[in-house]
Amino acid sequence: MLTEDLQTNTQTLQNMLGKNPDVVLRRLIIHDAAKEAAMIYIEGLVDKREIHEQILMPLMKPGTENTEGNMENKQVKQWLITEAIPVSTVQPVQRVEECMQAIFVGNTVLLVQGIAEAFVIGTSNWETRPSEEPITEALIRGPREGFVESIHKNTAIIRRKIKDQNLVFLPYKVGRRSQKDLYVVYIKEIANQALVDDVKSRVERIDIDAVEESGYVEQLIEENYLSPFPQTQNTERPDRVVQALLEGRVAILLDGTPFVLLAPVTFPMLMSSPEDYYERWIPGSLIRLLRYIAVFISLFLPALYISFISYNHGMIPTKLAISISASREGVPFPSIVEAFIMEVTVEILREAGIRLPKTIGQAVGIVGALVIGQAAVEAGIVSPITVIVVSLTAISSFSFPQYGAAIAIRIMRFSMMIAASFLGLFGVILMSIFLIAHLVKLKSFGVSYLAPFAPIYLRDWKDGLLRLPFFTLRKRTRITKPKDSTRR
Amino acid sequence: MRHRHEKRWAFLFVWVLVITGCWDRTEIEDIGIVTGIAIDQPEKKDKQGKDSKKFDLTHNIVIPQASAGKSAGSKKAYANVTTKTESVFEGIRHVSTITGNSPSYEYLKVLAISEEIARTYNLQELLNFFLRNTEARRTVKVVIVQGKAKNVLNKRPIIENNPAVNLSDIVENSKKVIQITPEVTLGDVSKQLTSKRNLVIPRVMVVKDKAQMSGAAVIKGKNAKMIGTLTPEEVGGLNLLRGEVKNGVVKGKMAKGKFIVFEVDRIQHQIKSEVKKEKVGFTLQINVKGKLREDNVMAEDDFDEKFLHEAERVIQNQLEKLTQRTLRKTQKELKVDVIGCGKKLGIQDHQVWKEYEQNWDEAFSRMPVKVNIQVTITEFGTKGRERIKK
């Protein structure tokens, strides 16, 4: 608790903050009230100009009315809030902890002799980058705006897109030490109450010292930690979040990261892109269908290649078999080793390309794809067919709209390949059964991962593999069990 | 506790699956791609004479490099391996001792059986191995070869690299020509012979170093042996009688050495059995629709009904002649029912069929078969009458 004595108050705060060079203690005398005072703030988090012009100037210079310095302490408090400090927020607090919190987010705390309260003045203004186009989810057509690290900017972006009083932001603080702002966002009239309660209770259960990024939150609230599939969706795109909120889903915003979590998520949701709705329905549907084909290729192609080459030769048409056989003559490895060498090479190249600066990343891609591929074929280490298979797989896996789905499919691809290398086509089928069984069982916030395909919600198939024209999509999806199911 | 056991079982399950894997792994370049097999009478008779049931088994194995490489065309793209054997399986095992790449029958296209073999061996017994084998498909085409069967696998085709693939393609062309027997697959052979039905298999001969279709071989269902051949014309008639023509060309002679060419487009085909006082007879109604494709009767007017009727009549005569010839050959000479009358009778009058079932072919050869053919020209192309008519 704060006392009336300025000296003790500053002492307590200083002790708690430590002798850190970024903590600034500024002593002053309030001219009009003729009182000693002190200001504490952290360098770099505050707007210095605002402190100078809106706090120091009016307090230290004589005011227009001559108050003669004989105000009661109570009057002083009132005067400070209502007249003296022309800043948008001036909040009196009593507890030291609250002062500390305020200081850490960039506010300035003003302590006045004789008043057992501190004034938190909103001077917070740290550097944020401007909103840029999301790199991970680029679109041809659609807003170029992406979320930023500041949670307030992000909430503003969402508000700007949904001007509805039912839009709710539920504030939480997560991380015992990091004390980050976390907002649970939903639309009151649409989102299912049970879902909202579920998300809330899971967020409340988070107990960790620091939450660096929304990935922490994602892992702390998910149901199955063994599954390769993400159970919340993460996105940098505000339009995706808005679409999700209007479907009755819940968004989780965390301060300090542009990635917003969406819950629940299903596999078809991961495969859809906001652009599906911006384009007209025919191209939108076809492009979405194409993505599913890409999933199939990137999941199964190397495994099928292995099983066709090493086990089930009869599946290949005769003439193709003859030409494959001819091209593989002299390759020292079985198809399994060959495919693994190339797949791992591609994965390494991809990883290297991400870490390197953009310009060098492209060079790595060219070196990898052209030089290594060509040289490996010419050296007779791998057959040309393998290079075709592996590159087709890699290209397909780039066409996923969301990185989370892509990474899961990548993992499954390798297990498919292992299964194929042991048991051929039978292994691939066995693995597919495992995979489908897992996906059917997997739940994200109580929603089946393969909905609307399993369980079957026929109505939602209109927006499943295809995206039919808007007049057919009168109802919201049944997956999230929205309160208000009518869209138009 | 229970949970831990579950994990242990899951581990065991996966482990068992994994360690049993790989046993049948062979890379595609390590298999011998067999596209054709020929079965022949051995070159020299054994000392024991004819009783030793030995035959020559010839594998047509693809040499991939020569087939797919850039230098294809200069080198021979296949190799023939012949082994003498008593059973097919032994022969196949023997092939493995000759070539490093063990033969794979997944790409088998053609089974060529020499006439000699077909006449002396029970085909069902001979082909038993291929029917049992999971590798060979039931869609493998079966042909009977006049002379040495391995000769057809030895002749380098005009365009294709592989004689067996080429032969299989030729057999498929049967849909386009009325004088070629529809293709017969291993599955068909098995199906027909198991139910003791007669079978007509395409016959191939080697003319001037090229394999060529030439009529058909008739296999008697009862003993699964070949009993005779049909000429291409007789095959044409048979195709009509069976209603199996998809497409085919018939030439008809008009007066004064002029001819017209008629292309069959559609056939409506119906067999009716008639039982009158213990006597069984059949009526075949065949309605042929088609196009007038070519003629040298120039001066005629195609819009003239008379000309069309005349043309129809000529074609009809031609077709009747064909079918009669075939009937005479199969019914009277070879004494087999290859048209499917028996099957029809079995459906239409089962009681009567039961009486004859045991000795059907013999009985059928004495039964009257009436054939009614009706030809309709539906189209005569883009040429009508001569432009200048005086």
Side-chain angles (χ1 to χ4, degrees):
Chain A
M1 290 300 280
L2 292 165
T3 60
E4 287 194 355
D5 184 35
L6 177 65
Q7 204 52 43
T8 29
N9 285 346
T10 49
Q11 203 59 51
T12 353
L13 279 176
Q14 259 192 321
N15 283 344
M16 290 181 83
L17 289 166
K19 286 250 179 291
N20 288 319
D22 57 341
V23 179
V24 178
L25 176 71
R26 173 74 160 88
R27 290 180 190 284
L28 67 147
I29 290 167
I30 301 173
H31 181 271
D32 287 354
K35 283 197 185 296
E36 269 184 76
M39 270 183 358
I40 300 176
Y41 60 86
I42 292 178
E43 189 91 58
L45 297 184
V46 295
D47 187 344
K48 276 206 152 168
R49 229 181 88 185
E50 184 150 303
I51 291 182
H52 182 246
E53 285 174 7
Q54 312 299 340
I55 306 172
L56 292 180
M57 291 268 271
L59 289 183
M60 293 166 80
K61 290 272 159 64
T64 42
E65 302 166 50
N66 201 351
T67 46
E68 305 274 312
N70 45 20
M71 272 195 283
E72 291 289 310
N73 283 344
K74 215 157 187 180
Q75 277 177 296
V76 172
K77 183 184 163 191
Q78 203 52 43
W79 173 76
L80 275 172
I81 295 170
T82 52
E83 286 178 55
I85 308 170
V87 177
S88 57
T89 50
V90 179
Q91 179 92 38
V93 295
Q94 276 103 21
R95 291 174 54 243
V96 185
E97 289 74 23
E98 281 175 280
C99 294
M100 301 295 294
Q101 282 307 328
I103 290 168
F104 284 140
V105 297
N107 291 327
T108 303
V109 167
L110 179 71
L111 299 161
V112 184
Q113 173 67 38
I115 299 176
E117 273 176 301
F119 299 92
V120 173
I121 305 163
T123 54
S124 165
N125 181 25
W126 58 63
E127 288 292 309
T128 56
R129 68 179 171 94
S131 173
E132 281 165 23
E133 186 179 5
I135 304 164
T136 55
E137 295 164 87
L139 295 185
I140 305 261
R141 179 172 179 179
R144 296 268 178 268
E145 177 186 40
F147 283 125
V148 291
E149 279 74 9
S150 158
I151 194 167
H152 299 297
K153 245 184 171 168
N154 291 347
T155 54
I157 291 172
I158 295 175
R159 276 273 187 225
R160 235 179 26 237
K161 285 174 185 276
I162 307 179
K163 297 175 182 76
D164 183 356
Q165 73 271 24
N166 283 300
L167 182 65
V168 177
F169 291 92
L170 278 182
Y172 290 92
K173 291 258 185 218
V174 289
R176 282 199 307 277
R177 284 184 197 285
S178 66
Q179 287 292 325
K180 280 212 172 159
D181 280 321
L182 180 149
Y183 290 171
V184 172
V185 189
Y186 58 94
I187 297 175
K188 211 166 34 183
E189 275 185 355
I190 300 176
N192 184 290
Q193 195 54 45
L195 172 67
V196 174
D197 291 341
D198 190 17
V199 175
K200 279 194 318 202
S201 77
R202 287 192 208 199
V203 168
E204 278 157 16
R205 258 183 284 146
I206 293 176
D207 183 23
I208 194 169
D209 59 346
V211 177
E212 279 300 307
E213 210 267 342
S214 54
Y216 275 61
V217 180
E218 175 179 355
Q219 291 171 63
L220 290 169
I221 64 175
E222 71 186 356
E223 280 162 65
N224 188 342
Y225 65 96
L226 285 173
S227 173
F229 290 88
Q231 288 140 56
T232 51
Q233 189 172 10
N234 62 72
T235 181
E236 275 188 90
R237 297 200 66 89
D239 49 343
R240 200 189 270 275
V241 171
V242 166
Q243 275 175 6
L245 290 175
L246 289 170
E247 286 295 326
R249 295 162 72 193
V250 177
I252 300 171
L253 271 65
L254 184 74
D255 191 30
T257 176
F259 286 96
V260 171
L261 298 180
L262 295 172
V265 67
T266 65
F267 190 72
M269 284 175 190
L270 288 174
M271 293 314 298
S272 75
S273 159
E275 206 174 7
D276 297 351
Y277 303 92
Y278 303 153
E279 284 295 342
R280 299 185 57 249
W281 76 275
I282 297 174
S285 296
L286 291 178
I287 287 169
R288 192 182 276 183
L289 213 57
L290 195 69
R291 264 184 235 128
Y292 280 92
I293 296 170
V295 170
F296 186 85
I297 290 176
S298 116
L299 186 58
F300 287 111
L301 192 63
L304 289 182
Y305 172 71
I306 290 171
S307 35
F308 286 170
I309 297 299
S310 295
Y311 292 95
N312 313 84
H313 318 118
M315 301 291 289
I316 320 171
T318 309
K319 282 172 190 172
L320 181 61
I322 291 172
S323 77
I324 290 178
S325 176
S327 75
R328 282 187 52 84
E329 201 66 46
V331 174
F333 303 116
S335 65
I336 301 147
V337 177
E338 208 189 2
F340 262 102
I341 291 175
M342 288 313 284
E343 278 294 341
V344 171
T345 312
V346 166
E347 293 297 332
I348 292 172
L349 280 171
R350 171 194 287 200
E351 206 54 28
I354 294 171
R355 307 293 159 229
L356 287 169
K358 249 186 190 170
T359 40
I360 306 176
Q362 279 175 354
V364 166
I366 292 163
V367 168
L370 297 179
V371 180
I372 295 186
Q374 183 68 21
V377 169
E378 269 175 20
I381 298 170
V382 297
S383 68
I385 303 279
T386 314
V387 176
I388 295 172
V389 165
V390 169
S391 35
L392 197 60
T393 311
I395 290 168
S396 298
S397 70
F398 286 134
S399 69
F400 295 171
Q402 288 243 286
Y403 189 64
I407 223 165
I409 296 292
R410 254 157 96 183
I411 297 166
M412 291 320 294
R413 172 162 78 237
F414 278 93
S415 33
M416 284 287 176
M417 283 166 69
I418 292 167
S421 62
F422 281 116
L423 293 164
L425 208 51
F426 175 62
V428 174
I429 288 165
L430 214 61
M431 198 66 207
S432 318
I433 293 172
F434 274 135
L435 176 64
I436 289 168
H438 169 69
L439 283 177
V440 167
K441 193 175 158 261
L442 190 63
K443 287 221 150 84
S444 159
F445 292 84
V447 167
S448 295
Y449 208 65
L450 284 187
F453 302 113
I456 297 169
Y457 299 140
L458 266 181
R459 200 181 73 201
D460 289 344
W461 285 25
K462 288 183 290 196
D463 192 9
L465 286 178
L466 299 176
R467 201 279 291 173
L468 295 190
F470 283 126
F471 72 85
T472 62
L473 308 173
R474 287 178 201 284
K475 299 275 186 182
R476 279 181 234 283
T477 174
R478 262 178 68 192
I479 297 169
T480 49
K481 300 188 183 66
K483 275 184 203 162
D484 172 18
S485 64
T486 319
R487 195 179 273 140
R488 46 175 272 179
Chain B
M1 246 344 239
R2 223 188 101 248
H3 197 62
R4 225 175 68 202
H5 274 292
E6 264 173 18
K7 273 191 180 163
R8 215 176 272 177
W9 279 113
F11 177 75
L12 211 70
F13 179 64
V14 171
W15 185 244
V16 163
L17 274 180
V18 166
I19 56 169
T20 53
C22 292
W23 62 272
D24 61 345
R25 187 180 67 80
T26 35
E27 299 297 311
I28 198 165
E29 68 268 24
D30 295 334
I31 59 167
I33 298 176
V34 179
T35 48
I37 287 182
I39 304 172
D40 274 308
Q41 204 79 281
E43 300 272 340
K44 287 175 199 159
K45 294 270 155 59
D46 265 10
K47 281 165 197 168
Q48 293 111 309
K50 264 196 166 177
D51 296 329
S52 72
K53 286 208 153 193
K54 287 211 169 182
F55 46 82
D56 275 355
L57 200 63
T58 305
H59 280 63
N60 185 253
I61 300 175
V62 173
I63 303 171
Q65 285 89 330
S67 309
K70 283 171 195 138
S71 59
S74 55
K75 272 186 281 178
K76 217 166 100 172
Y78 58 92
N80 282 341
V81 181
T82 307
T83 56
K84 190 186 267 184
T85 176
E86 207 162 323
S87 73
V88 174
F89 190 55
E90 280 176 312
I92 280 165
R93 275 292 124 98
H94 192 69
V95 172
S96 304
T97 63
I98 300 171
T99 69
N101 297 0
S102 65
S104 156
Y105 300 95
E106 283 161 330
Y107 301 106
L108 193 58
K109 296 277 172 207
V110 168
L111 258 174
I113 302 164
S114 82
E115 251 178 51
E116 276 180 274
I117 288 283
R119 281 185 196 273
T120 48
Y121 282 84
N122 181 326
L123 277 187
Q124 222 184 342
E125 287 169 19
L126 192 70
L127 301 181
N128 188 280
F129 169 78
F130 297 105
L131 289 167
R132 278 182 192 282
N133 191 349
T134 50
E135 279 185 8
R137 310 254 157 97
R138 282 173 76 87
T139 53
V140 174
K141 290 169 190 108
V142 180
V143 293
I144 301 286
V145 183
Q146 186 188 20
K148 281 269 168 224
K150 70 172 142 189
N151 284 350
V152 295
L153 298 184
N154 243 335
K155 299 301 164 210
R156 180 129 182 220
I158 305 169
I159 296 166
E160 265 302 326
N161 268 326
N162 188 289
V165 174
N166 181 56
L167 184 56
S168 146
D169 290 347
I170 292 177
V171 174
E172 264 174 27
N173 281 344
S174 65
K175 287 162 197 152
K176 288 175 200 146
V177 190
I178 196 167
Q179 284 89 351
I180 294 184
T181 325
E183 58 178 72
V184 171
T185 65
L186 201 55
D188 294 333
V189 172
S190 160
K191 194 175 75 188
Q192 295 286 340
L193 295 185
T194 310
S195 51
K196 302 241 177 278
R197 278 199 213 112
N198 303 315
L199 185 65
V200 179
I201 300 181
R203 185 159 161 269
V204 174
M205 59 196 262
V206 177
V207 182
K208 283 182 195 161
D209 273 8
K210 301 289 173 222
Q212 186 182 312
M213 302 290 290
S214 114
V218 180
I219 312 289
K220 199 167 167 62
K222 219 163 193 183
N223 54 7
K225 282 179 187 170
M226 177 174 161
I227 54 159
T229 57
L230 299 178
T231 62
E233 284 73 34
E234 285 161 353
V235 168
L238 180 65
N239 285 338
L240 273 171
L241 287 172
R242 285 171 158 185
E244 271 179 351
V245 191
K246 292 269 155 56
N247 222 328
V249 175
V250 181
K251 202 167 98 179
K253 284 199 181 77
M254 302 282 276
K256 289 174 246 155
K258 303 281 186 183
F259 69 86
I260 54 170
V261 176
F262 174 77
E263 191 187 1
V264 178
D265 210 18
R266 238 179 318 163
I267 285 195
Q268 271 182 333
H269 172 260
Q270 201 181 23
I271 304 178
K272 261 193 187 151
S273 60
E274 287 151 7
V275 187
K276 279 177 198 160
K277 292 176 197 163
E278 300 288 303
K279 276 206 162 182
V280 185
F282 293 95
T283 311
L284 273 74
Q285 181 64 42
I286 304 168
N287 296 338
V288 185
K289 282 181 182 167
K291 302 166 188 163
L292 188 59
R293 262 303 156 80
E294 195 180 336
D295 71 306
N296 59 0
V297 199
M298 297 309 266
E300 291 299 339
D301 182 358
D302 287 352
F303 293 117
D304 185 5
E305 290 272 310
K306 247 193 202 163
F307 168 71
L308 283 181
H309 283 308
E310 176 66 13
E312 280 171 358
R313 202 186 50 77
V314 167
I315 298 298
Q316 189 175 320
N317 274 346
Q318 188 65 26
L319 294 181
E320 264 163 14
K321 234 184 275 171
L322 269 178
T323 51
Q324 284 309 324
R325 233 163 98 190
T326 309
L327 263 182
R328 220 172 27 245
K329 178 79 169 280
T330 57
Q331 197 188 9
K332 304 295 178 201
E333 276 179 41
L334 299 172
K335 297 193 173 171
V336 285
D337 167 24
V338 285
I339 307 166
C341 287
K343 199 176 164 189
K344 213 69 197 180
L345 182 64
I347 294 168
Q348 289 173 349
D349 207 329
H350 198 69
Q351 290 299 327
V352 182
W353 161 249
K354 275 282 174 198
E355 283 172 40
Y356 293 104
E357 196 185 354
Q358 284 308 312
N359 230 339
W360 172 249
D361 281 334
E362 192 61 34
F364 176 70
S365 66
R366 289 190 300 272
M367 288 174 185
V369 178
K370 220 174 109 191
V371 182
N372 295 330
I373 298 181
Q374 196 182 345
V375 176
T376 321
I377 293 174
T378 53
E379 192 189 314
F380 36 80
T382 47
K383 185 192 155 294
R385 65 170 77 96
E386 287 293 295
R387 260 194 72 202
I388 307 153
K389 241 194 159 188
K390 285 164 190 171

